[in-house]
Amino acid sequence: MKRLVILFLVYTVVFLPVQLAKADVSIKSEDVASIQINRTSGGTRTFNENDGIEEFVIRKVVEWINTSSPVKEATELDNTKTPISLLKIKMKNGNVATVVPAYDCHVQNQTKYCSLADGDVILDQNNQKIRLKSVQLFDWLLTGWKQENTKPPQDTKEMMVHDILMLFLGPEIDKAVSNYYSEYLTYSPLVYPYQIEIVNVERIGGFRTFDFSITLEITPVVGPHISVGKDRLTFEIAPTIIPGQIKLKKFEHLETHELPPHWQHIIKH
């Protein structure tokens, strides 16, 4: 009997932290109705999924959670200590998950001292607490949420021309991206107009001719705007190009971005 107890204790000490570290963390941004952040010292904000700009904040926070790294340290909180900030994630099905900054505690002279664990947070989801490493989310919980600008930006003529041009080029961009990433992914990434930067534009034939070269840098994404890489595309636009007046001249893959664990399944092996 004594031997069984010892074996159980060894199993608990050695294997349990590993299981905690490998705990699955996955929240779908489309399942989130709202997030609410409260600071103990005062101040609160709510971001709702039915607002386009606020939805972007929700997607960003969820992505930080999903791409965070589990930490092996204990996930117990000091029950007598009120977290400096509390994030409530309200799901559309009525469930609520919370995220708070993590603390490191130690006892000295029978007194317990706790201090913020820089970069660590604790996610409480489905009655399971998981300690995670996410510097971005940690900083956001402390002060970043105050800086979120959810006022609609002022539209400009330049922005409208940019968006019209991206709509015009969109099908050719999607085709080029699909052709390249089909070699590596089972899921075709998307490119949104606001993730396209115009790097260079040239009028090939001289002043007031209509043969153009345009170079773009794009960031294709999957799911909740998880970037898979960065690419540079050069198109020729001219009335003599048939059909469509657009031709891809060059495709350069600049960067490959690592996918979070719950999106690794789309990688071709």
Side-chain angles (χ1 to χ4, degrees), residues 107-151:
V107 177
Q108 183 177 347
N109 297 328
Q110 298 183 341
T111 302
K112 191 173 186 179
Y113 298 92
C114 294
S115 59
L116 283 171
D118 190 28
D120 287 10
V121 300
I122 292 179
L123 170 68
D124 191 341
Q125 182 185 21
N126 300 325
N127 296 318
Q128 182 184 17
K129 291 181 180 178
I130 307 171
R131 182 160 171 166
L132 305 170
K133 172 69 72 175
S134 175
V135 175
Q136 291 172 308
L137 181 55
F138 178 86
D139 291 342
W140 191 87
L141 288 174
L142 297 186
T143 59
W145 59 274
K146 295 181 180 180
Q147 314 304 324
E148 295 290 357
N149 184 6
T150 55
K151 293 181 180 179

Side-chain angles (χ1 to χ4, degrees), residues 170-181:
E172 294 299 321
I173 293 173
D174 291 340
K175 186 189 301 182
V177 167
S178 179
N179 287 341
Y180 177 82
Y181 285 96

